[in-house]
Amino acid sequence: MENKIFRSIGNKGIELDEPIIFARNQKNMNAVEFFDASFDAREAKNILGNLYYDRNNDLAFPEVSEQEAVRHFTRLSQKNFCGDVMSYPLGSCSMKYNPKINEWAARLSQFTSLHPLMPEQTLQHGLKVCYEMQKWLSQIAGFVNTSLAPSAGAHGEFAGLCMMAKALKVRGEKRTTIMVPSSAHGTNPATAAFFGWRVITIPINDKGRINVSLVKETMNEDCVGIMITNPNTLGIFESEHQDIADIVHNKGGFVYGDGANLNALLGIVRPGDIGVDVMHFNLHKTFTTPHGGGGPGCGAVGASKLLAQFLPSPLINFQNGNYFVDNNPSSIGRIRSYFNNFGLLVRAWVYLKTIGHDGLKNVSQKAVINANYLRHKLKDYYHLPYENDCLHEVVLSDKWQQEYGVSALDISKRLIDYGVHPPTMYFPLVVKGALMIEPTETESFYDLDYLANALIKVAMEAKENPSLVKNAPHNTRLARIDEVKAAREPKLTAFY
Amino acid sequence: MHFFNTQKEEIQLLLSKMDKTSVDELFRSIPGSMVLKHRIDIPDASDELTLKRDLQNYSAPSEFRNFIGAGSVEHFIPEWVSQQLIRAEWYTPYTPYQPEVSQGNLQAIFEFQTLTANLLGQPLANSSMYDGATSLVEAILLAHRVNKKHTVLIPNNIHPHYLETVKTYLEHTNLEIKIIDFDRTKKNININQLCNLIDEHNDDICCAVLQVPNFFGLYEDIDTFQHVAKQKNIFTISVTTDISALSVIKPLGHLGFDVSVADGIGFCGPLSMGGPSVGIFATTKNYLRQLPGRIVGQTVDKNNNVGYVLTLSTREQHIRRENATSNICTNHNLMALALVMTLTAYGKKGFIELGLRNVSKANILRKKLRSIGFNISSDEHFYNETIVDFGCETKLDQFFEHAMNEKIIPGLKLSTFYPNLKGMLMVCTSEMHTQEDIDSLIKIFSRSINGK
């Protein structure tokens, strides 16, 4: 397998252009029909009276048959690169394989047919999944309890910080600052700003870790605490995490954990055991729920004894053979409608039942092996800004390629020509021209080597034929989309 | 293990290529004191065969016929939509940050933005949000960013979960909620109270919210609401939980709402105990750069081919960090895809007809209820909900129990959310309820009113 690269065109028989759906319109056509003799359109209009408005005047939904609709969307789907085709080595995204048994389970009638407001005794199957997920996630990360309500990582961050804000209110304290490392994901300071806290950016040291002495200097009774990602966005374990937590706790502050990188720690380290007070999980990262092209996700939050009473509602409990809603009186309350993104919970639940207790550590060990193998293969071709150990992801930079005028963006676009989705580019911000690579544990030796070989080939091309890389991609239908035009002349719908 | 795609021998080979003999060497950066020593209490692994067998009896549909709507109404989604979404190209990609390899997703979301904006009668929409409740929160925050004012006028006949969510968010801001009450009998908002609140807080009103139709499934007097609000230049927000209800009335954007939000629940997949669904956010051109969340825009590539791309990201957290319009980093993409497919299936003609079907179904129920002796209000603009007043909670509980024994969940007891509405039941009938369903329900109502 070594050194073999495939061309990424010419393998597919044919791919067709597909214009916007309205191009297929046929007057009065549609793709749904009902045979219901009881329906009387005229009577319905009379009931609505002068409220009724004929939306034939303005509604511009498509007018296509089922086959037209199917062809339209099937053709569009063919224009999407996806995980089931090839790797997405995106840092901190944990784009691992989405098991199909999860998809089967999520579509079971006893789950899909549940209306959220039905009496609790009829929701037992669903409430059981929620209760077990609360318990298992708490066990995995070392927390007292977990709320499944948040619908995304950033939503979980909101919930966690809201819990911290409420804890302060209950104490009668007012604090105005919060620490965020310079390597943090942008949602961290964005969420903190919502609570009116001034963000103090703590720089990382030359080892890529949070500067602990600066944390010590900064922490005081006016500081809410710190938001910490561990391992951090460089893939480096914050080994002084316990010290940082102690410094923060000693001044009455809280530690927020961004759990995006949990894939490195399953069965090995529990954030709740090393000082984290509240942490969001990403079920759509660590726990295989599909990314769906951008969402939905689930940013469940787990909490320590210090903050568990404030967890968002609803929480599920179990007693005398019954599952029921059992909210904390001190809860911050609801952060969305109904329960949670239940469809995702079923998938994560089945995933945990599949890998089981022993699977946890296997996942993280393999994730770390894979990332380090890539690091080992690539370190002679790409600049490695931080020499110390990394876990499940590695951050390289375009420094050496810049000598030939080739940037991270160019490298990413050329990778597309080799059928590999580019890694995360230009993040974390602490590394100039960053390429953040996380293969995950589900990449096989075969695909790992392919990934490495593609990256190596592009590195060599950058030296030997830079314009080839700078003008990439060459094999895609569209190339170098004009993002400036999109922002300057925004066109968000077909009609405006 | 079967998900790791690599055999033990190959793992050893990988390690040896890195000059390592054991995987523990790769974890040396973790201090021993932090390494977990005890067992995590989750069950042992299951094979697929066992898993399927254990979950086998979950494959039958719920034994209960459900008549609860209350913001989560089951609607018909054609089979082709469900099967289209099984395509890996829809559910296994990442966010379309590399547009050259994501044009299918981007174009479909552009179509979603087009249809949802059009549905709400607004020129612009974003690529979706988590749900209707959080979309409402974002609408209020947008209003505040625009006018810097603090008093938020919200009726308490909006979905109770939405109101609770708004309260959770606003508690940590300097925004203040003032509730507009509703009439106990007519279930619509108290316009006089709205006028008084406006007079009281004249210079500091951030926005006024109206749910269309309201939680009780009734269309309010939007013209009066807007007239009252716009006299004082107040920012108005509409919120909708059953989007099919918008197919038979004037488009909300044309009625003057500055922001219109909705939840696509019922049209983006099965109910699945309330999630995931999809938040819809639409607004006027004035607020383009204030839109929260992700936005897809149409553009061209270097060869002038039409293409699509995520745009206006300077509003977003990965660029502006603490100055972002919102902390939102994501959308409910797969549900938005499902919604655009479902709306495409219904089409213009089908969607308008769907609205009329729902009104017709509710009317059938109301006629039958009246014919057996129930007093159902007749001078209200209803959509697909019907409220039946049993007079007292005990009578309602008895009826409810009889219905459950017949494997029917006859509706939502309004006392669940409103202590002052004890004895009232809210029954939803959509196009999903057949004649037989309604007749079975009527039988139980009939027995109840005849004292059994």
Side-chain angles (χ1 to χ4, degrees), chain A residues 31 43 55 60 80 114 139 268 294 334 337 376 389 413 442 492, chain B residues 5 17 28 36 41 98 100 105 113 118-119 131 168 273 330 345:
Chain A
E43 188 188 29
R55 288 205 70 177
N80 291 335
L114 300 177
Q139 271 291 304
I268 298 167
R334 286 192 156 278
S337 56
H376 167 80
D389 289 3
K413 297 303 183 189
T442 56
L492 312 192
Chain B
N5 301 320
K17 281 179 186 287
R28 61 184 185 185
L36 180 62
D41 189 11
Q98 298 291 348
E100 289 96 336
N105 186 15
Q113 288 172 185
N118 176 250
L119 171 67
D131 71 344
T168 302
M273 215 165 81
T330 189

PDB file of all heavy atoms in Angstrom, chain A residues 31 43 55 60 80 114 139 268 294 334 337 376 389 413 442 492, chain B residues 5 17 28 36 41 98 100 105 113 118-119 131 168 273 330 345:
ATOM      1  N   ALA A  31     -45.782  16.245  -5.254  1.00  0.00           N
ATOM      2  CA  ALA A  31     -45.356  14.854  -5.003  1.00  0.00           C
ATOM      3  C   ALA A  31     -46.012  14.224  -3.791  1.00  0.00           C
ATOM      4  O   ALA A  31     -45.501  13.260  -3.228  1.00  0.00           O
ATOM      5  CB  ALA A  31     -43.834  14.824  -4.846  1.00  0.00           C
ATOM      6  N   GLU A  43     -65.350  24.329   2.301  1.00  0.00           N
ATOM      7  CA  GLU A  43     -65.839  24.501   3.679  1.00  0.00           C
ATOM      8  C   GLU A  43     -64.720  25.060   4.557  1.00  0.00           C
ATOM      9  O   GLU A  43     -64.940  25.946   5.378  1.00  0.00           O
ATOM     10  CB  GLU A  43     -66.328  23.158   4.231  1.00  0.00           C
ATOM     11  CG  GLU A  43     -67.015  23.293   5.584  1.00  0.00           C
ATOM     12  CD  GLU A  43     -67.315  21.929   6.202  1.00  0.00           C
ATOM     13  OE1 GLU A  43     -66.573  20.968   5.935  1.00  0.00           O
ATOM     14  OE2 GLU A  43     -68.290  21.844   6.960  1.00  0.00           O
ATOM     15  N   ARG A  55     -52.641  31.751  -0.864  1.00  0.00           N
ATOM     16  CA  ARG A  55     -51.191  31.882  -1.020  1.00  0.00           C
ATOM     17  C   ARG A  55     -50.681  31.417  -2.375  1.00  0.00           C
ATOM     18  O   ARG A  55     -49.475  31.395  -2.616  1.00  0.00           O
ATOM     19  CB  ARG A  55     -50.470  31.164   0.128  1.00  0.00           C
ATOM     20  CG  ARG A  55     -50.631  31.934   1.453  1.00  0.00           C
ATOM     21  CD  ARG A  55     -49.517  31.668   2.436  1.00  0.00           C
ATOM     22  NE  ARG A  55     -48.256  32.264   1.992  1.00  0.00           N
ATOM     23  CZ  ARG A  55     -47.139  32.234   2.692  1.00  0.00           C
ATOM     24  NH1 ARG A  55     -47.114  31.633   3.868  1.00  0.00           N
ATOM     25  NH2 ARG A  55     -46.019  32.786   2.215  1.00  0.00           N
ATOM     26  N   ALA A  60     -43.981  30.278  -3.239  1.00  0.00           N
ATOM     27  CA  ALA A  60     -43.199  29.878  -4.410  1.00  0.00           C
ATOM     28  C   ALA A  60     -42.505  28.546  -4.194  1.00  0.00           C
ATOM     29  O   ALA A  60     -41.359  28.349  -4.584  1.00  0.00           O
ATOM     30  CB  ALA A  60     -42.187  30.961  -4.730  1.00  0.00           C
ATOM     31  N   ASN A  80     -21.524  15.724  -2.904  1.00  0.00           N
ATOM     32  CA  ASN A  80     -21.009  15.857  -1.545  1.00  0.00           C
ATOM     33  C   ASN A  80     -19.944  14.820  -1.263  1.00  0.00           C
ATOM     34  O   ASN A  80     -20.180  13.626  -1.368  1.00  0.00           O
ATOM     35  CB  ASN A  80     -22.126  15.665  -0.516  1.00  0.00           C
ATOM     36  CG  ASN A  80     -23.121  16.794  -0.511  1.00  0.00           C
ATOM     37  OD1 ASN A  80     -22.814  17.916  -0.898  1.00  0.00           O
ATOM     38  ND2 ASN A  80     -24.323  16.476  -0.069  1.00  0.00           N
ATOM     39  N   LEU A 114     -42.901   8.446  19.537  1.00  0.00           N
ATOM     40  CA  LEU A 114     -43.175   9.082  20.834  1.00  0.00           C
ATOM     41  C   LEU A 114     -43.417  10.577  20.684  1.00  0.00           C
ATOM     42  O   LEU A 114     -42.572  11.301  20.143  1.00  0.00           O
ATOM     43  CB  LEU A 114     -41.996   8.867  21.792  1.00  0.00           C
ATOM     44  CG  LEU A 114     -41.646   7.412  22.121  1.00  0.00           C
ATOM     45  CD1 LEU A 114     -40.413   7.353  23.007  1.00  0.00           C
ATOM     46  CD2 LEU A 114     -42.820   6.707  22.789  1.00  0.00           C
ATOM     47  N   GLN A 139     -20.579   8.580  34.195  1.00  0.00           N
ATOM     48  CA  GLN A 139     -19.560   7.599  34.552  1.00  0.00           C
ATOM     49  C   GLN A 139     -18.293   7.783  33.729  1.00  0.00           C
ATOM     50  O   GLN A 139     -17.190   7.712  34.250  1.00  0.00           O
ATOM     51  CB  GLN A 139     -20.098   6.182  34.296  1.00  0.00           C
ATOM     52  CG  GLN A 139     -20.833   5.570  35.457  1.00  0.00           C
ATOM     53  CD  GLN A 139     -19.888   5.251  36.593  1.00  0.00           C
ATOM     54  OE1 GLN A 139     -18.918   4.544  36.416  1.00  0.00           O
ATOM     55  NE2 GLN A 139     -20.172   5.810  37.759  1.00  0.00           N
ATOM     56  N   ILE A 268      -9.451   6.515  30.260  1.00  0.00           N
ATOM     57  CA  ILE A 268      -8.078   6.808  30.697  1.00  0.00           C
ATOM     58  C   ILE A 268      -8.053   7.945  31.713  1.00  0.00           C
ATOM     59  O   ILE A 268      -7.477   7.811  32.798  1.00  0.00           O
ATOM     60  CB  ILE A 268      -7.191   7.139  29.479  1.00  0.00           C
ATOM     61  CG1 ILE A 268      -7.124   5.912  28.554  1.00  0.00           C
ATOM     62  CG2 ILE A 268      -5.775   7.537  29.914  1.00  0.00           C
ATOM     63  CD1 ILE A 268      -6.560   6.186  27.177  1.00  0.00           C
ATOM     64  N   GLY A 294     -23.423  19.323   9.076  1.00  0.00           N
ATOM     65  CA  GLY A 294     -23.336  20.492   9.938  1.00  0.00           C
ATOM     66  C   GLY A 294     -24.156  20.395  11.213  1.00  0.00           C
ATOM     67  O   GLY A 294     -24.028  21.214  12.099  1.00  0.00           O
ATOM     68  N   ARG A 334     -35.107  25.478  31.472  1.00  0.00           N
ATOM     69  CA  ARG A 334     -35.082  24.945  30.116  1.00  0.00           C
ATOM     70  C   ARG A 334     -34.169  25.770  29.227  1.00  0.00           C
ATOM     71  O   ARG A 334     -34.112  26.990  29.353  1.00  0.00           O
ATOM     72  CB  ARG A 334     -36.478  25.045  29.486  1.00  0.00           C
ATOM     73  CG  ARG A 334     -37.438  24.077  29.994  1.00  0.00           C
ATOM     74  CD  ARG A 334     -38.680  24.081  29.107  1.00  0.00           C
ATOM     75  NE  ARG A 334     -39.309  22.802  29.264  1.00  0.00           N
ATOM     76  CZ  ARG A 334     -38.917  21.723  28.609  1.00  0.00           C
ATOM     77  NH1 ARG A 334     -37.983  21.805  27.690  1.00  0.00           N
ATOM     78  NH2 ARG A 334     -39.482  20.569  28.847  1.00  0.00           N
ATOM     79  N   SER A 337     -36.968  23.470  23.683  1.00  0.00           N
ATOM     80  CA  SER A 337     -38.281  22.849  23.849  1.00  0.00           C
ATOM     81  C   SER A 337     -38.134  21.345  24.069  1.00  0.00           C
ATOM     82  O   SER A 337     -37.133  20.751  23.683  1.00  0.00           O
ATOM     83  CB  SER A 337     -39.129  23.108  22.599  1.00  0.00           C
ATOM     84  OG  SER A 337     -38.436  22.629  21.451  1.00  0.00           O
ATOM     85  N   HIS A 376       4.359  11.034  12.860  1.00  0.00           N
ATOM     86  CA  HIS A 376       5.651  10.411  12.584  1.00  0.00           C
ATOM     87  C   HIS A 376       5.970  10.443  11.083  1.00  0.00           C
ATOM     88  O   HIS A 376       7.082  10.764  10.668  1.00  0.00           O
ATOM     89  CB  HIS A 376       5.626   8.968  13.092  1.00  0.00           C
ATOM     90  CG  HIS A 376       6.766   8.122  12.619  1.00  0.00           C
ATOM     91  ND1 HIS A 376       8.005   8.181  13.206  1.00  0.00           N
ATOM     92  CD2 HIS A 376       6.850   7.217  11.617  1.00  0.00           C
ATOM     93  CE1 HIS A 376       8.817   7.341  12.580  1.00  0.00           C
ATOM     94  NE2 HIS A 376       8.143   6.751  11.609  1.00  0.00           N
ATOM     95  N   ASP A 389       4.734  15.820  23.139  1.00  0.00           N
ATOM     96  CA  ASP A 389       3.785  14.767  22.791  1.00  0.00           C
ATOM     97  C   ASP A 389       2.407  15.320  22.479  1.00  0.00           C
ATOM     98  O   ASP A 389       1.919  16.230  23.133  1.00  0.00           O
ATOM     99  CB  ASP A 389       3.638  13.788  23.964  1.00  0.00           C
ATOM    100  CG  ASP A 389       4.868  12.927  24.151  1.00  0.00           C
ATOM    101  OD1 ASP A 389       5.861  13.135  23.413  1.00  0.00           O
ATOM    102  OD2 ASP A 389       4.838  12.052  25.033  1.00  0.00           O
ATOM    103  N   LYS A 413      -6.524  22.750  -0.744  1.00  0.00           N
ATOM    104  CA  LYS A 413      -7.221  22.614  -2.029  1.00  0.00           C
ATOM    105  C   LYS A 413      -6.588  21.523  -2.893  1.00  0.00           C
ATOM    106  O   LYS A 413      -7.275  20.812  -3.624  1.00  0.00           O
ATOM    107  CB  LYS A 413      -7.257  23.955  -2.772  1.00  0.00           C
ATOM    108  CG  LYS A 413      -8.022  25.066  -2.053  1.00  0.00           C
ATOM    109  CD  LYS A 413      -9.459  24.702  -1.738  1.00  0.00           C
ATOM    110  CE  LYS A 413     -10.194  25.860  -1.080  1.00  0.00           C
ATOM    111  NZ  LYS A 413     -11.516  25.435  -0.577  1.00  0.00           N
ATOM    112  N   THR A 442     -11.115   5.131  13.777  1.00  0.00           N
ATOM    113  CA  THR A 442     -11.709   4.240  12.779  1.00  0.00           C
ATOM    114  C   THR A 442     -10.951   4.224  11.452  1.00  0.00           C
ATOM    115  O   THR A 442     -11.277   3.427  10.568  1.00  0.00           O
ATOM    116  CB  THR A 442     -13.200   4.572  12.533  1.00  0.00           C
ATOM    117  OG1 THR A 442     -13.324   5.954  12.152  1.00  0.00           O
ATOM    118  CG2 THR A 442     -14.014   4.311  13.784  1.00  0.00           C
ATOM    119  N   LEU A 492     -28.975  35.220  -0.469  1.00  0.00           N
ATOM    120  CA  LEU A 492     -29.255  34.106   0.440  1.00  0.00           C
ATOM    121  C   LEU A 492     -30.444  33.267  -0.009  1.00  0.00           C
ATOM    122  O   LEU A 492     -30.692  32.191   0.514  1.00  0.00           O
ATOM    123  CB  LEU A 492     -29.546  34.623   1.863  1.00  0.00           C
ATOM    124  CG  LEU A 492     -28.580  35.642   2.458  1.00  0.00           C
ATOM    125  CD1 LEU A 492     -28.864  35.798   3.934  1.00  0.00           C
ATOM    126  CD2 LEU A 492     -27.150  35.254   2.252  1.00  0.00           C
TER     127      LEU A 492
ATOM    128  N   ASN B   5     -11.111  -1.040  12.382  1.00  0.00           N
ATOM    129  CA  ASN B   5     -10.590  -1.315  11.041  1.00  0.00           C
ATOM    130  C   ASN B   5      -9.133  -1.742  11.011  1.00  0.00           C
ATOM    131  O   ASN B   5      -8.502  -1.670   9.981  1.00  0.00           O
ATOM    132  CB  ASN B   5     -10.766  -0.076  10.136  1.00  0.00           C
ATOM    133  CG  ASN B   5     -12.233   0.297  10.035  1.00  0.00           C
ATOM    134  OD1 ASN B   5     -13.093  -0.570   9.931  1.00  0.00           O
ATOM    135  ND2 ASN B   5     -12.519   1.574  10.073  1.00  0.00           N
ATOM    136  N   LYS B  17       6.814   1.177  13.785  1.00  0.00           N
ATOM    137  CA  LYS B  17       7.254   2.198  12.818  1.00  0.00           C
ATOM    138  C   LYS B  17       7.553   3.522  13.511  1.00  0.00           C
ATOM    139  O   LYS B  17       8.281   4.348  12.993  1.00  0.00           O
ATOM    140  CB  LYS B  17       6.186   2.403  11.737  1.00  0.00           C
ATOM    141  CG  LYS B  17       6.203   1.331  10.670  1.00  0.00           C
ATOM    142  CD  LYS B  17       5.108   1.573   9.639  1.00  0.00           C
ATOM    143  CE  LYS B  17       5.002   0.435   8.646  1.00  0.00           C
ATOM    144  NZ  LYS B  17       6.104   0.398   7.671  1.00  0.00           N
ATOM    145  N   ARG B  28       2.474   9.122  27.814  1.00  0.00           N
ATOM    146  CA  ARG B  28       3.344   9.506  28.923  1.00  0.00           C
ATOM    147  C   ARG B  28       3.162  10.956  29.351  1.00  0.00           C
ATOM    148  O   ARG B  28       3.599  11.362  30.413  1.00  0.00           O
ATOM    149  CB  ARG B  28       4.802   9.243  28.560  1.00  0.00           C
ATOM    150  CG  ARG B  28       5.240  10.035  27.376  1.00  0.00           C
ATOM    151  CD  ARG B  28       6.648   9.742  26.923  1.00  0.00           C
ATOM    152  NE  ARG B  28       6.956  10.682  25.842  1.00  0.00           N
ATOM    153  CZ  ARG B  28       8.056  10.660  25.141  1.00  0.00           C
ATOM    154  NH1 ARG B  28       8.992   9.760  25.395  1.00  0.00           N
ATOM    155  NH2 ARG B  28       8.258  11.542  24.180  1.00  0.00           N
ATOM    156  N   LEU B  36      -7.145   7.160  35.332  1.00  0.00           N
ATOM    157  CA  LEU B  36      -8.246   6.472  35.984  1.00  0.00           C
ATOM    158  C   LEU B  36      -7.813   5.098  36.476  1.00  0.00           C
ATOM    159  O   LEU B  36      -7.209   4.330  35.750  1.00  0.00           O
ATOM    160  CB  LEU B  36      -9.384   6.335  34.963  1.00  0.00           C
ATOM    161  CG  LEU B  36     -10.667   5.646  35.411  1.00  0.00           C
ATOM    162  CD1 LEU B  36     -11.314   6.420  36.533  1.00  0.00           C
ATOM    163  CD2 LEU B  36     -11.600   5.528  34.216  1.00  0.00           C
ATOM    164  N   ASP B  41     -18.633   2.355  35.085  1.00  0.00           N
ATOM    165  CA  ASP B  41     -19.797   1.485  35.162  1.00  0.00           C
ATOM    166  C   ASP B  41     -20.702   1.641  33.946  1.00  0.00           C
ATOM    167  O   ASP B  41     -21.745   2.297  34.009  1.00  0.00           O
ATOM    168  CB  ASP B  41     -20.564   1.801  36.462  1.00  0.00           C
ATOM    169  CG  ASP B  41     -21.669   0.791  36.717  1.00  0.00           C
ATOM    170  OD1 ASP B  41     -21.701  -0.251  36.023  1.00  0.00           O
ATOM    171  OD2 ASP B  41     -22.502   1.072  37.593  1.00  0.00           O
ATOM    172  N   GLN B  98     -15.334  23.339   2.979  1.00  0.00           N
ATOM    173  CA  GLN B  98     -14.627  23.239   1.706  1.00  0.00           C
ATOM    174  C   GLN B  98     -15.704  23.185   0.617  1.00  0.00           C
ATOM    175  O   GLN B  98     -16.173  22.106   0.257  1.00  0.00           O
ATOM    176  CB  GLN B  98     -13.741  21.984   1.666  1.00  0.00           C
ATOM    177  CG  GLN B  98     -12.646  21.951   2.704  1.00  0.00           C
ATOM    178  CD  GLN B  98     -11.534  22.983   2.459  1.00  0.00           C
ATOM    179  OE1 GLN B  98     -11.460  23.588   1.390  1.00  0.00           O
ATOM    180  NE2 GLN B  98     -10.691  23.190   3.465  1.00  0.00           N
ATOM    181  N   GLU B 100     -15.907  23.396  -2.542  1.00  0.00           N
ATOM    182  CA  GLU B 100     -15.759  22.637  -3.798  1.00  0.00           C
ATOM    183  C   GLU B 100     -16.273  21.214  -3.690  1.00  0.00           C
ATOM    184  O   GLU B 100     -16.665  20.609  -4.687  1.00  0.00           O
ATOM    185  CB  GLU B 100     -14.281  22.591  -4.229  1.00  0.00           C
ATOM    186  CG  GLU B 100     -13.717  23.905  -4.724  1.00  0.00           C
ATOM    187  CD  GLU B 100     -12.993  24.661  -3.634  1.00  0.00           C
ATOM    188  OE1 GLU B 100     -13.294  24.438  -2.434  1.00  0.00           O
ATOM    189  OE2 GLU B 100     -12.119  25.485  -3.972  1.00  0.00           O
ATOM    190  N   ASN B 105     -24.820  19.808  -0.585  1.00  0.00           N
ATOM    191  CA  ASN B 105     -25.314  20.267   0.716  1.00  0.00           C
ATOM    192  C   ASN B 105     -25.607  21.761   0.659  1.00  0.00           C
ATOM    193  O   ASN B 105     -26.695  22.211   1.044  1.00  0.00           O
ATOM    194  CB  ASN B 105     -24.258  19.963   1.781  1.00  0.00           C
ATOM    195  CG  ASN B 105     -24.721  20.275   3.187  1.00  0.00           C
ATOM    196  OD1 ASN B 105     -25.911  20.466   3.441  1.00  0.00           O
ATOM    197  ND2 ASN B 105     -23.783  20.337   4.114  1.00  0.00           N
ATOM    198  N   GLN B 113     -33.207  27.869   2.622  1.00  0.00           N
ATOM    199  CA  GLN B 113     -33.315  29.282   2.972  1.00  0.00           C
ATOM    200  C   GLN B 113     -34.377  29.952   2.110  1.00  0.00           C
ATOM    201  O   GLN B 113     -35.175  30.768   2.593  1.00  0.00           O
ATOM    202  CB  GLN B 113     -31.956  29.991   2.821  1.00  0.00           C
ATOM    203  CG  GLN B 113     -30.962  29.616   3.898  1.00  0.00           C
ATOM    204  CD  GLN B 113     -29.551  30.156   3.658  1.00  0.00           C
ATOM    205  OE1 GLN B 113     -28.646  29.844   4.397  1.00  0.00           O
ATOM    206  NE2 GLN B 113     -29.349  30.961   2.622  1.00  0.00           N
ATOM    207  N   ASN B 118     -39.572  32.345   2.034  1.00  0.00           N
ATOM    208  CA  ASN B 118     -40.798  32.523   1.271  1.00  0.00           C
ATOM    209  C   ASN B 118     -42.027  32.139   2.096  1.00  0.00           C
ATOM    210  O   ASN B 118     -43.042  32.835   2.098  1.00  0.00           O
ATOM    211  CB  ASN B 118     -40.715  31.694  -0.014  1.00  0.00           C
ATOM    212  CG  ASN B 118     -41.986  31.733  -0.826  1.00  0.00           C
ATOM    213  OD1 ASN B 118     -42.697  30.751  -0.928  1.00  0.00           O
ATOM    214  ND2 ASN B 118     -42.281  32.887  -1.407  1.00  0.00           N
ATOM    215  N   LEU B 119     -41.926  31.032   2.818  1.00  0.00           N
ATOM    216  CA  LEU B 119     -43.035  30.574   3.655  1.00  0.00           C
ATOM    217  C   LEU B 119     -43.412  31.640   4.673  1.00  0.00           C
ATOM    218  O   LEU B 119     -44.588  31.914   4.917  1.00  0.00           O
ATOM    219  CB  LEU B 119     -42.638  29.288   4.389  1.00  0.00           C
ATOM    220  CG  LEU B 119     -43.605  28.800   5.474  1.00  0.00           C
ATOM    221  CD1 LEU B 119     -44.929  28.361   4.871  1.00  0.00           C
ATOM    222  CD2 LEU B 119     -42.994  27.651   6.256  1.00  0.00           C
ATOM    223  N   ASP B 131     -34.049  24.873  17.359  1.00  0.00           N
ATOM    224  CA  ASP B 131     -35.492  24.646  17.422  1.00  0.00           C
ATOM    225  C   ASP B 131     -36.194  25.997  17.497  1.00  0.00           C
ATOM    226  O   ASP B 131     -35.546  27.039  17.454  1.00  0.00           O
ATOM    227  CB  ASP B 131     -35.868  23.775  18.644  1.00  0.00           C
ATOM    228  CG  ASP B 131     -35.726  24.500  19.976  1.00  0.00           C
ATOM    229  OD1 ASP B 131     -35.071  25.562  20.031  1.00  0.00           O
ATOM    230  OD2 ASP B 131     -36.271  24.007  20.980  1.00  0.00           O
ATOM    231  N   THR B 168     -34.872  31.558  30.789  1.00  0.00           N
ATOM    232  CA  THR B 168     -33.536  31.067  31.167  1.00  0.00           C
ATOM    233  C   THR B 168     -32.453  31.948  30.572  1.00  0.00           C
ATOM    234  O   THR B 168     -31.500  32.335  31.239  1.00  0.00           O
ATOM    235  CB  THR B 168     -33.338  29.620  30.681  1.00  0.00           C
ATOM    236  OG1 THR B 168     -34.346  28.793  31.230  1.00  0.00           O
ATOM    237  CG2 THR B 168     -31.969  29.100  31.067  1.00  0.00           C
ATOM    238  N   MET B 273     -39.875  11.843  20.203  1.00  0.00           N
ATOM    239  CA  MET B 273     -39.907  12.442  21.529  1.00  0.00           C
ATOM    240  C   MET B 273     -39.421  13.896  21.526  1.00  0.00           C
ATOM    241  O   MET B 273     -38.847  14.364  22.490  1.00  0.00           O
ATOM    242  CB  MET B 273     -39.090  11.592  22.528  1.00  0.00           C
ATOM    243  CG  MET B 273     -39.731  11.599  23.920  1.00  0.00           C
ATOM    244  SD  MET B 273     -39.125  10.330  25.035  1.00  0.00           S
ATOM    245  CE  MET B 273     -37.610  11.059  25.633  1.00  0.00           C
ATOM    246  N   THR B 330     -23.333  26.310  14.669  1.00  0.00           N
ATOM    247  CA  THR B 330     -23.850  25.165  13.949  1.00  0.00           C
ATOM    248  C   THR B 330     -25.268  25.418  13.465  1.00  0.00           C
ATOM    249  O   THR B 330     -25.879  26.421  13.802  1.00  0.00           O
ATOM    250  CB  THR B 330     -23.832  23.938  14.874  1.00  0.00           C
ATOM    251  OG1 THR B 330     -24.146  22.779  14.119  1.00  0.00           O
ATOM    252  CG2 THR B 330     -24.863  24.060  15.960  1.00  0.00           C
ATOM    253  N   ALA B 345     -41.801  18.192  -1.698  1.00  0.00           N
ATOM    254  CA  ALA B 345     -42.786  17.147  -1.992  1.00  0.00           C
ATOM    255  C   ALA B 345     -44.200  17.726  -2.008  1.00  0.00           C
ATOM    256  O   ALA B 345     -44.988  17.483  -2.916  1.00  0.00           O
ATOM    257  CB  ALA B 345     -42.689  16.027  -0.967  1.00  0.00           C
TER     258      ALA B 345
END
